[in-house]
Amino acid sequence: MCNPVLKHLIPAVKLGDLELKNRIIMAPLTRSRAGEGDVPTPLVAEYYWQRAGAGLIITEASQISPQAKGYPRTPGIFSQQQINGWRTVTDAVHSRDGKIFLQLWHVGRLSHPDVQPGGVLPVAPSALAAEGEIFTSAGLKPLVTPQALTEEGIRDIIRDFRKAAENAREAGFDGVEIHAANGYLIDQFLRDGSNKRTDKWGGSAENRVRFLKEIVASVVPVFGAGRTGVRLSPVFDGFSMSDSNPAATFGVAAEMLSRFSLAYLHVMQLGSEAESFDFTALKTQFGGAYIANGGYSADSAAQAIAEGHADAVSFGTLFLANPDLVSRFASSAPLNEADKTTFYQGEDKGYTDYPVLSGVPQGGEGQWHWMGLTDSQNATGKSNKGEK
């Protein structure tokens, strides 16, 4: 009997201009391991190197500017030091024939003066605070009421997205994903629960989609449409996010995005209204390659692809705990369990120390620890070959 995982998840797929070796995508995962200056370290490079068996790695969200930051020790892509740090990561992934996109991020109102330049208020489409607390270097603090963006401020952020994409290209990435999901700035513009503007950036769904549209139009020329993706989360309801008609709002967004011929649309399908939302219709409205995300197993992912609900599936926590997830799926091997206490802290613990199957590259002392390509064998040796 044919193994559905081997039949539907392991085969290569083309997304935009990319030929991927399989349909198993590593979802973006905030890990808070960046070094001083929010620079990716050699440990970050090893983490991604270990997971280069994925058809595509989408990195953790990375702030496009100092203003875009929301949490301690998240990486940026606005300084030369950050570009250099990311170059070490992309070199590491490419040494195993992997593909890697950088996720571009602005958190909007989900920030705090403690991490903002000059201690100013964070920005958002409207001066509405989200409920809850945010983790800062001084511990948990209540989210604050942001300042509503001016027209000039909006234009500055659109330019910041473009510059961040240019920096990602300099850092050696294969493309970029625009983070328009999970209650962050672009999502705040999309939803009428967080966007109460009365100018051309608010009101109708077409106006609320304008911010995303102009960011995409600004970013696409950097890598080309075939190497640019967008992530949405139509039913995400964390951080006080809501919309009066998500089907209509995100339908307008998907149809708008379809006109760019993007590499893919990446959709997080988790939320309290997930069962009633028609994700298949969203896929049809977009019309291009669709990456599904949200609690999938190997079997359910294979089924989604077999039934035409997705072209590829992304995995978050499973990739966190299983660097060799592709090999484990292919061989039906047991999966490691994730240690939630180390998701956002622990340095190498819960980060690069998860066990892998015999014969799979794992890095570390005695095999290879990514400290830069100073030895030609490290760049070309057998231990760096990708999973088959």
Side-chain angles (χ1 to χ4, degrees):
M1 182 178 294
C2 178
N3 182 336
V5 172
L6 292 176
K7 182 178 180 181
H8 298 295
L9 279 181
I10 302 303
V13 65
K14 185 173 184 179
L15 297 186
D17 295 340
L18 295 177
E19 296 282 351
L20 305 185
K21 54 192 174 185
N22 58 64
R23 298 164 188 251
I24 302 170
I25 311 301
M26 181 175 171
L29 293 160
T30 294
R31 302 306 312 275
S32 297
R33 272 17 181 237
E36 184 177 355
D38 297 333
V39 174
T41 66
L43 186 66
V44 175
E46 181 170 353
Y47 167 78
Y48 284 113
W49 177 84
Q50 291 176 340
R51 290 155 179 82
L56 173 67
I57 291 173
I58 305 168
T59 71
E60 61 210 277
S62 301
Q63 50 260 19
I64 60 170
S65 68
Q67 181 199 68
K69 183 175 179 176
Y71 310 99
R73 298 193 64 185
T74 52
I77 188 61
F78 55 86
S79 75
Q80 190 60 52
Q81 292 79 9
Q82 292 163 356
I83 294 170
N84 295 344
W86 278 121
R87 167 60 77 173
T88 305
V89 174
T90 61
D91 284 348
V93 171
H94 291 153
S95 77
R96 287 190 57 206
D97 301 319
K99 297 287 195 304
I100 183 168
F101 273 28
L102 182 73
Q103 191 184 58
L104 304 178
W105 191 31
H106 193 304
V107 306
R109 68 183 185 179
L110 299 182
S111 185
H112 193 276
D114 282 7
V115 297
Q116 287 291 301
V120 300
L121 290 171
V123 298
S126 302
L128 296 172
E131 295 180 2
E133 297 179 311
I134 188 168
F135 185 77
T136 73
S137 57
L140 286 173
K141 292 190 176 183
L143 287 161
V144 300
T145 300
Q147 55 182 319
L149 278 161
T150 63
E151 175 76 19
E152 181 181 6
I154 289 172
R155 293 295 174 189
D156 286 343
I157 291 172
I158 293 169
R159 286 189 286 270
D160 287 341
F161 269 96
R162 169 65 178 253
K163 180 59 177 176
E166 293 171 349
N167 291 345
R169 184 178 59 190
E170 182 181 344
F173 283 96
D174 298 295
V176 291
E177 177 177 284
I178 297 167
H179 194 354
N182 294 54
Y184 296 113
L185 183 62
I186 299 176
D187 200 20
Q188 292 161 26
F189 269 89
L190 290 174
R191 316 277 197 105
D192 60 16
S194 49
N195 183 347
K196 302 297 184 182
R197 301 179 73 96
T198 57
D199 59 5
K200 68 180 182 179
W201 305 98
S204 68
E206 288 76 13
N207 278 1
R208 286 181 277 117
V209 165
R210 188 188 306 273
F211 185 55
L212 172 59
K213 178 182 178 180
E214 297 210 14
I215 288 171
V216 173
S218 179
V219 167
V220 157
V222 178
F223 280 95
R227 290 175 179 266
T228 304
V230 170
R231 193 179 205 207
L232 299 176
S233 56
V235 295
F236 176 80
D237 53 5
F239 301 131
S240 306
M241 294 302 293
S242 66
D243 191 84
S244 61
N245 191 341
T249 295
F250 287 91
V252 170
E255 289 173 1
M256 175 275 291
L257 292 171
S258 72
R259 298 194 284 273
F260 285 96
S261 300
L262 298 173
Y264 62 79
L265 179 64
H266 184 189
V267 181
M268 179 185 170
Q269 300 178 170
L270 296 177
S272 60
E273 303 298 322
E275 291 187 5
S276 61
F277 190 89
D278 191 344
F279 291 102
T280 300
L282 188 71
K283 180 178 183 294
T284 300
Q285 288 163 328
F286 176 65
Y290 183 97
I291 302 175
N293 170 267
Y296 282 91
S297 66
D299 289 337
S300 63
Q303 182 178 356
I305 292 172
E307 295 177 353
H309 298 308
D311 299 286
V313 176
S314 71
F315 301 87
T317 302
L318 291 185
F319 250 122
L320 181 155
N322 297 273
D324 54 347
L325 187 64
V326 175
S327 292
R328 289 177 186 266
F329 278 177
S331 61
S332 300
L335 299 178
N336 300 323
E337 291 189 14
D339 178 2
K340 294 182 179 181
T341 66
T342 61
F343 278 7
Y344 310 111
Q345 60 183 349
E347 302 308 322
D348 62 329
K349 181 173 174 55
Y351 191 59
T352 57
D353 64 347
Y354 281 103
V356 298
L357 300 173
S358 176
V360 175
Q362 62 182 344
E365 296 298 330
Q367 187 175 61
W368 179 64
H369 188 285
W370 186 265
M371 295 297 289
L373 288 175
T374 57
D375 184 313
S376 60
Q377 186 174 2
N378 284 349
T380 60
K382 292 182 179 180
S383 65
N384 284 358
K385 296 298 182 183
E387 298 165 27
K388 302 297 183 184

